[in-house]
Amino acid sequence: MYRLGALLALCLALLMPATVQASTIEVTINSINTEGIGESIGTISARDTDQGLVIIPELSGLSEGEHGFHLHAGDQCAPQTNSEGASIAGLAALGHWDPDQTNTHLGPFGNGHRGDLSRLVVDRDGNTTTSVVAPRLKASDLRGRALVVHAGGDTYSDTPPLGGGGARIACGVGS
């Protein structure tokens, strides 16, 4: 009788779909400038959901307003020298992550590159805690790639270049 019960339990376990655990990741975000990587300004937590990747920022010390927010292809946040010899904050993060090689910026809900994330909105006290959704990303996409916060908003278009977000002001790499 015991063996029959155990066999029945095993059969039911094999027939039932496995419970899928949502993957999560936390990334420390640091201020950056042309001289290097500065202090932590907070964290970004991200978790997989049935709607895509939910990203929860807990950042402070930013200027009030909208800030472009992108997943970049590089795995570093350091400054680098551009072709004109100028030091650029966070240039080691490389360009926006574009695994499908679309070479276009259409926002987080468009079919352009997958590095476009929803703008971060910062309150008058310099904080942002409003969650954003990236429907075409998973938490695993953040591993080994830089998350970059830009000085200005983002148009999600190719004009002005890179959506007009401006200078890179904060960065962290998923691990």
Side-chain angles (χ1 to χ4, degrees):
M1 182 74 164
Y2 173 76
R3 287 184 184 178
L4 181 59
L7 181 61
L8 182 59
L10 176 62
C11 289
L12 285 174
L14 291 174
L15 291 174
M16 295 179 73
T19 301
V20 177
Q21 277 193 324
S23 182
T24 61
I25 188 169
E26 187 169 297
V27 180
T28 299
I29 304 294
N30 293 59
S31 63
I32 57 173
N33 60 40
T34 58
E35 297 179 16
I37 300 170
E39 295 181 10
S40 170
I41 63 165
T43 60
I44 300 285
S45 299
R47 65 181 167 80
D48 292 329
T49 72
D50 60 351
Q51 300 299 310
L53 186 66
V54 173
I55 300 170
I56 305 146
E58 290 189 27
L59 305 176
S60 60
L62 296 166
S63 62
E64 182 180 5
E66 293 183 350
H67 292 268
F69 184 42
H70 303 101
L71 180 60
H72 284 244
D75 63 357
Q76 298 178 40
C77 295
Q80 284 187 341
T81 304
N82 67 9
S83 59
E84 288 85 39
S87 179
I88 306 293
L91 192 58
L94 305 176
H96 298 169
W97 188 51
D98 190 11
D100 305 315
Q101 300 179 4
T102 66
N103 296 314
T104 190
H105 303 267
L106 297 174
F109 299 95
N111 288 323
H113 70 70
R114 287 192 257 163
D116 269 344
L117 303 174
S118 294
R119 297 174 197 96
L120 296 178
V121 178
V122 177
D123 66 24
R124 68 175 159 237
D125 295 324
N127 303 311
T128 182
T129 58
T130 303
S131 301
V132 298
V133 176
R136 300 182 319 142
L137 294 181
K138 299 178 291 199
S140 60
D141 293 329
L142 304 184
R143 296 191 194 287
R145 293 188 182 88
L147 281 169
V148 176
V149 178
H150 292 264
D154 191 332
T155 63
Y156 303 125
S157 70
D158 295 321
T159 306
L162 303 178
R168 299 168 186 202
I169 60 168
C171 182
V173 176
S175 58

